[in-house]
Amino acid sequence: MKYRLSEKSRQILDHLSTVKRPLSASSIARSLGLKDDTVRSLIESLRQKKLIEDKETIRIEFYQLTPEGQHFATKGLPEIRLVKLLAKQGGAGSVESIADTKVLKPLEQTLALGWARRNKWISVSESDGQTWMKLTSNTTEAIKQHPLQLVLDSAKESGFFQLADIKLEKKYLRRIQNTLRKRKLAELVTRQTITVSITSKGHQALKAALTDKELIRDLSPDLLKSDAWKDQDFMPYNLRTPTSPLYPGKKHPFVEFIDRLKRVLIGLGFQEAKGPLVETEFWNNDALFMPQDHVAREVHDLYHIKKPKGPGRIIDESALKRVAKTHENGWKTGSTGWRYPYSFDIARRLVMRSQTTSVSMRFLSEHKEPPITMFSIDRNFRPEKFDATHSAEFIQIEGIIGGKDLTLRDLMGYIKAIAKGVGVEKIKFKPGFFPFTEPSVESFIFIPELGWKEFGGSGIFRPEVTLPFGIDFPVLAWGLGADRLAMAALGIGDIRELATRNLGQLRKASMRF
Ligand code: PHE
């Protein structure tokens, strides 16, 4: 029987037959100087031809460079770059002069100084109000064969390395392991792998191997131009070969979630609006019929702005006057108002926006013809203690829809549709209270980790809110917690996880929407 083996497959069989013991793919790759993925895919096809067989599952440990480790593998450790710079400047220099070269980023320079000093590569002294660094005598030798840099260099291409490959005394190895961990340059990862050995069929194949004619792996322009490809045999693709995981760039899950929400709302026919984060109390509260000096104002606390102190400018002066009258005596709204002297100074005070309902009010002041359909998904700020379900900065899904025949049923329908758009179907409604809506509805959603949680407020704007802006038809309004909805949609139990920067976790996060 004749076998057609590629040169690399033959090498693998040959290696297994010489070594005479089971080996893992990565150990074969290392010995033959081949890429891990190449060996793994060849092993898979040799296994299918029964030329090799699986022996046992073993765990291998290796180090994977962190982004910082990768950076230093490519650029060199900052302390080594610092020494080289100093050597160029004649062996000494001030901290400022090194900063001026801009070779090291400010943070890298701090790191470099710390480590160079700890390694006793430089001595540091102060004079003339400057900090001077001087190379110690044996420094230039020390950096030539610096063990940590050698280790990083060996992983430059692949991003990982095994301790077994590093030819260093035990005590140095231990020190390097500690440094890698402390400086967060690499993480220890374990993976299961299978060792393989050559079968008797494999031995036969090796003897009889037809290696004179190579199987082609990659089609090159030359092969095409010269028509040589017509006489060649191509290596078939093996789609079942396991490969190392690849993490393509993707959006942060929370960003992806917000983008999805926006698409849902646009799909429902809403138009996106934006408003300022630093807001006047007028738009944040007064226009919403929240009295200026009253406990009702304190349904939620506000961050007041010290700088700039204000006052803010309110462009729609006539609306401001009508709102003032509505607060004082109800104006033409049929209400008795709050019955207190309205302060224009308070109206112009600056605060951090505490509700995106302010954006809805700004929108209403400029859009008075039905149908009115607006949404805004944006940040708000309230003094809150930070914990698993509270944050001082939070995102609301705000929206209004205004038109002649709208009712509370429509309102609940829209809120359901928004939640459903991101896959959340467990939702409940209860009567609620807000100073600016009547009736008001509070909604709750089910977060698997936490149970039923308040999702947000909604209702039909009171005439005291709409009439001063010349709107005499019902306007449905809602302000929902985007963070809460994200927790329900993404299966997260802690609000702090929404903003995670844990790269390992983010790489593995699947795309949901
Ligand atoms: N702005 C309210 C809040 O932040 C929510 C709300 C919006 C209630 C619109 C009713 C209408 O709590």
Side-chain angles (χ1 to χ4, degrees):
M1 192 197 234
K2 291 229 162 162
Y3 291 93
R4 175 151 283 172
L5 288 176
S6 73
E7 175 54 21
K8 283 174 189 154
S9 304
R10 200 195 53 75
Q11 278 178 12
I12 292 176
L13 286 182
D14 194 40
H15 184 60
L16 283 168
S17 111
T18 340
V19 174
K20 293 195 177 62
R21 63 187 164 83
L23 295 174
S24 71
S26 49
S27 115
I28 296 174
R30 238 179 300 135
S31 311
L32 298 181
L34 296 174
K35 281 202 192 127
D36 255 38
D37 282 348
T38 312
V39 172
R40 244 178 267 153
S41 96
L42 292 172
I43 280 187
E44 185 61 29
S45 77
L46 288 171
R47 179 192 287 130
Q48 275 168 17
K49 291 184 198 148
K50 299 204 164 46
L51 303 182
I52 59 172
E53 63 190 358
D54 291 351
K55 278 296 173 193
E56 49 172 354
T57 310
I58 55 166
R59 290 163 67 82
I60 46 170
E61 287 196 333
F62 57 92
Y63 278 91
Q64 184 154 23
L65 295 187
T66 60
E68 190 173 2
Q70 188 73 54
H71 179 71
F72 294 156
T74 332
K75 286 250 174 174
L77 285 162
E79 60 269 33
I80 292 186
R81 281 189 278 153
L82 173 66
V83 166
K84 288 187 180 155
L85 276 174
L86 286 172
K88 242 198 238 161
Q89 300 194 0
S94 69
V95 169
E96 290 77 4
S97 72
I98 295 295
D100 285 345
T101 65
K102 298 223 164 66
V103 172
L104 293 160
K105 298 204 190 94
L107 206 66
E108 289 183 321
Q109 181 159 341
T110 315
L111 274 178
L113 192 73
W115 285 103
R117 222 167 153 174
R118 210 183 290 192
N119 293 344
K120 301 206 171 54
W121 290 349
I122 57 168
S123 59
V124 176
S125 59
E126 308 270 343
S127 74
D128 307 335
Q130 290 204 326
T131 309
W132 295 88
M133 297 175 285
K134 190 162 171 270
L135 293 185
T136 54
S137 53
N138 59 352
T139 307
T140 24
E141 268 317 298
I143 63 160
K144 267 193 205 145
Q145 289 287 323
H146 186 49
L148 184 60
Q149 186 67 57
L150 293 181
V151 168
L152 292 179
D153 283 350
S154 75
K156 192 157 40 180
E157 295 291 325
S158 60
F160 56 82
F161 62 89
Q162 283 186 292
L163 276 188
D165 291 342
I166 299 170
K167 313 254 168 319
L168 270 182
E169 270 179 58
K170 259 228 164 74
K171 60 172 183 190
Y172 286 124
L173 267 185
R174 179 115 353 111
R175 203 180 300 161
I176 285 207
Q177 273 172 287
N178 284 336
T179 316
L180 288 172
R181 189 158 26 88
K182 245 193 276 156
R183 294 182 68 169
K184 297 204 175 64
L185 299 177
E187 282 168 2
L188 193 59
V189 191
T190 56
R191 189 189 285 166
Q192 292 209 341
T193 186
I194 290 171
T195 58
V196 293
S197 58
I198 183 166
T199 60
S200 54
K201 205 168 158 194
H203 282 295
Q204 285 173 27
L206 193 57
K207 269 189 227 136
L210 253 188
T211 52
D212 49 344
K213 195 164 169 193
E214 275 303 299
L215 290 182
I216 305 291
R217 286 176 74 83
D218 301 308
L219 193 57
S220 66
D222 282 344
L223 281 172
L224 282 174
K225 267 191 251 160
S226 64
D227 270 354
W229 63 272
K230 289 184 179 156
D231 309 318
Q232 299 286 350
D233 285 325
F234 288 88
M235 183 121 162
Y237 283 115
N238 182 354
L239 299 178
R240 256 171 287 160
T241 315
T243 56
S244 34
L246 196 68
Y247 300 111
K250 59 185 175 213
K251 284 182 190 161
H252 189 288
F254 191 50
V255 174
E256 195 200 1
F257 167 81
I258 298 287
D259 285 352
R260 163 74 182 188
L261 262 182
K262 290 190 176 174
R263 267 183 285 133
V264 168
L265 280 150
I266 288 166
L268 288 170
F270 289 84
Q271 163 191 354
E272 185 173 9
K274 291 263 173 202
L277 298 181
V278 173
E279 187 53 285
T280 50
E281 289 200 37
F282 176 75
W283 290 115
N284 195 70
N285 302 79
D286 300 357
L288 285 156
F289 198 51
M290 297 168 85
Q292 289 181 322
D293 187 18
H294 189 277
V295 276
R297 184 76 142 215
E298 306 304 327
V299 273
H300 54 250
D301 288 335
L302 286 174
Y303 280 122
H304 290 272
I305 306 272
K306 276 199 193 134
K307 256 193 210 163
K309 206 169 163 23
R313 204 155 59 92
I314 295 155
I315 295 168
D316 194 344
E317 282 286 335
S318 58
L320 171 64
K321 285 190 190 124
R322 288 191 296 273
V323 167
K325 289 210 184 93
T326 310
H327 278 235
E328 286 178 345
N329 57 31
W331 185 57
K332 293 179 189 160
T333 63
S335 159
T336 55
W338 292 106
R339 308 204 157 264
Y340 71 98
Y342 185 85
S343 156
F344 290 90
D345 290 336
I346 294 181
R348 294 193 172 94
R349 274 197 320 215
L350 296 179
V351 294
M352 291 302 286
R353 172 170 81 197
S354 68
Q355 48 188 351
T356 24
T357 321
S358 52
V359 181
S360 300
M361 291 318 296
R362 282 175 175 270
F363 190 87
L364 277 185
S365 77
E366 287 168 357
H367 300 79
K368 301 174 195 290
E369 290 301 318
I372 293 169
T373 47
M374 175 225 93
F375 79 94
S376 187
I377 302 181
D378 218 336
R379 268 181 290 176
N380 294 288
F381 307 84
R382 286 179 203 175
E384 288 268 13
K385 245 185 140 176
F386 205 33
D387 67 20
T389 49
H390 293 93
S391 161
E393 183 187 319
F394 58 98
I395 294 182
Q396 281 187 325
I397 310 161
E398 195 79 33
I400 45 173
I401 167 160
K404 292 259 172 327
D405 302 313
L406 291 165
T407 68
L408 215 56
R409 286 222 152 269
D410 298 301
L411 175 68
M412 292 188 281
Y414 277 107
I415 295 176
K416 268 190 186 167
I418 293 168
K420 198 173 170 188
V422 291
V424 175
E425 307 221 16
K426 279 192 178 168
I427 186 160
K428 277 197 232 183
F429 298 100
K430 287 188 187 167
F433 170 80
F434 296 97
F436 33 91
T437 48
E438 180 61 35
S440 303
V441 179
E442 269 187 69
S443 49
F444 296 79
I445 45 171
F446 190 76
I447 303 179
E449 281 79 0
L450 303 171
W452 286 100
K453 284 281 160 194
E454 202 187 315
F455 173 35
S458 62
I460 303 179
F461 274 149
R462 301 175 71 105
E464 290 96 324
V465 172
T466 47
L467 286 179
F469 292 92
I471 287 163
D472 60 358
F473 47 84
V475 176
L476 314 177
W478 55 85
L480 311 169
D483 316 77
R484 294 279 171 90
L485 188 60
M487 288 163 85
L490 303 170
I492 289 173
D494 190 321
I495 205 167
R496 292 164 289 197
E497 233 182 86
L498 284 180
T500 185
R501 297 198 205 169
N502 179 332
L503 270 187
Q505 206 174 318
L506 289 174
R507 280 195 183 121
K508 283 182 205 133
S510 51
M511 297 188 58
R512 301 285 290 267
F513 301 111

